[in-house]
Amino acid sequence: MKQIYTGLLLAAALTLGACASHTAGISVSSLGETRVDNSSFARYIGVESVDARRVGDLVQGSALIVSKSSTDMRVQYKFTWYDASGYTIEDEATSWKSVKLHGKQQLQVAAVAPNAQAVKFDVYVRETFSN
């Protein structure tokens, strides 16, 4: 029985480990800093025109996700908000949103900060492997 339990744990760890390589993508900060964690993905998808504006006492962020591919792709994006000290704000409450980009399509995505302490953000884009 112990061997079966150990085998199941090992299988689960290997499965989760195999998925981990697919979480990398592209991130761009509201300060204009770009980080590419998956260069093959970055050949097909870009993030441009990252901008921020005030809506009342909250920051609204936007970005343009650009498909460089002639075929359809499904991607996910997520905004992560930071306070003036660089700490994340309510990151666990923010979920990935899935969108389908048609060949060469550009899609503007936007989000509003969860509270008035947010002063900057990162937008992350990664490939989705499910339909």
Side-chain angles (χ1 to χ4, degrees):
M1 184 70 166
K2 188 175 182 179
Q3 286 179 324
I4 292 173
Y5 181 71
T6 303
L8 288 174
L9 282 176
L10 180 60
L14 289 173
T15 301
L16 292 174
C19 294
S21 65
H22 300 302
T23 60
I26 305 166
S27 69
V28 181
S29 76
S30 55
L31 303 175
E33 301 160 339
T34 300
R35 188 179 80 215
V36 176
D37 295 325
N38 184 334
S39 58
S40 62
F41 176 68
R43 285 194 296 266
Y44 299 105
I45 296 292
V47 180
E48 302 174 359
S49 304
V50 176
D51 200 13
R53 68 178 184 173
R54 284 261 173 218
V55 177
D57 55 345
L58 299 176
V59 176
Q60 179 184 32
S62 68
L64 190 66
I65 302 174
V66 178
S67 170
K68 303 173 191 175
S69 172
S70 59
T71 60
D72 293 354
M73 285 187 75
R74 184 163 292 281
V75 299
Q76 293 178 322
Y77 70 93
K78 176 182 177 178
F79 283 79
T80 299
W81 298 92
Y82 301 92
D83 67 14
S85 299
Y87 288 94
T88 57
I89 299 173
E90 299 182 28
D91 193 43
E92 294 299 319
T94 307
S95 62
W96 290 91
K97 293 172 180 52
S98 183
V99 294
K100 184 175 186 177
L101 292 174
H102 300 289
K104 306 291 184 181
Q105 181 182 0
Q106 298 182 1
L107 178 68
Q108 185 180 40
V109 294
V112 176
N115 61 46
Q117 281 69 46
V119 296
K120 58 186 176 180
F121 65 90
D122 290 339
V123 60
Y124 296 88
V125 180
R126 68 183 184 185
E127 189 170 2
T128 304
F129 289 93
S130 61
N131 295 340

